């Protein structure tokens, strides 16, 4: 699954890993039921609901998408701790190279495991990664029933407002 990335982004959104469906169709967060695109629109990142096939429009807004682990799976819970840690090392190198202002990791468990922060919570993190500020959001997968769409919208909005107020 190719990254949607460019130097100097405002926010680089980072999923755990692509779904098999996303890998087949070639678009991030493409699986029906994934709540990433609705959360972006509901929180004001985008002015309208984008389809996964319109993902390139994010770059013009200063946003990109990558994943901690490249391997596509039916569910992220089959990833090993070793895969997540190795993916974390690759992600840090990517962040150093592309220098986004903020890295938004979409999955608290992935952040905890990949970067060795077992007590981390959602929201801004005390540490940076590769020079970027880090913010952790819930995994927007429809398989993650812990968060309702309105919860995701509120949490995504907190990130948007924090990044907007920190702009030079």
């Amino acid at each position: 699954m190719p990254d949607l990335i460019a130097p100097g982004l405002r926010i680089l959104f980072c999923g755990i890993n692509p779904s098999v469906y996303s890998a087949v169709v070639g678009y991030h967060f493409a699986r029906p039921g994934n709540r990433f695109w609705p959360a972006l629109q509901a929180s004001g990142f985008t002015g309208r609901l984008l389809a996964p096939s319109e993902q390139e429009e994010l770059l013009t807004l200063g946003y990109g998408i990558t994943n901690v682990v490249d391997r596509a799976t039916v569910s992220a819970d089959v990833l090993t701790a070793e895969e997540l840690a190795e993916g974390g090392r690759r992600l840090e190198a990517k962040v150093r190279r592309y220098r986004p202002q903020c890295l938004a990791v979409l999955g608290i468990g992935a952040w905890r495991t990949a970067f060795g922060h077992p007590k981390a919570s959602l929201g801004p993190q005390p540490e940076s990664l590769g020079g970027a500020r880090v913010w952790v959001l819930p995994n927007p997968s429809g398989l993650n029933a812990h968060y309702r769409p309105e919860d995701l919208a509120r949490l995504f909005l907190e990130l948007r407002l924090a990044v907007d107020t920190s702009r030079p």
Side-chain angles (χ1 to χ4, degrees), residues 72-152:
T73 61
V74 173
S75 174
D77 64 359
V78 301
L79 299 173
T80 66
E82 293 78 20
E83 281 180 291
L84 287 164
E86 176 59 31
R89 288 187 286 277
R90 284 193 306 271
L91 177 60
E92 183 171 9
K94 192 178 300 184
V95 169
R96 285 189 192 286
R97 177 178 177 199
Y98 287 97
R99 307 201 46 79
Q101 179 183 346
C102 182
L103 174 69
V105 179
L106 306 178
I108 186 72
W111 171 253
R112 289 173 175 164
T113 303
F115 297 99
H117 300 296
K119 295 183 183 199
S121 58
L122 294 175
Q125 301 302 300
E127 59 278 315
S128 62
L129 183 74
R133 185 171 158 194
V134 177
W135 198 284
V136 177
L137 292 167
N139 177 357
S141 169
L143 300 175
N144 181 6
H146 299 293
Y147 294 92
R148 298 172 304 168
E150 55 269 24
D151 298 326
L152 291 174

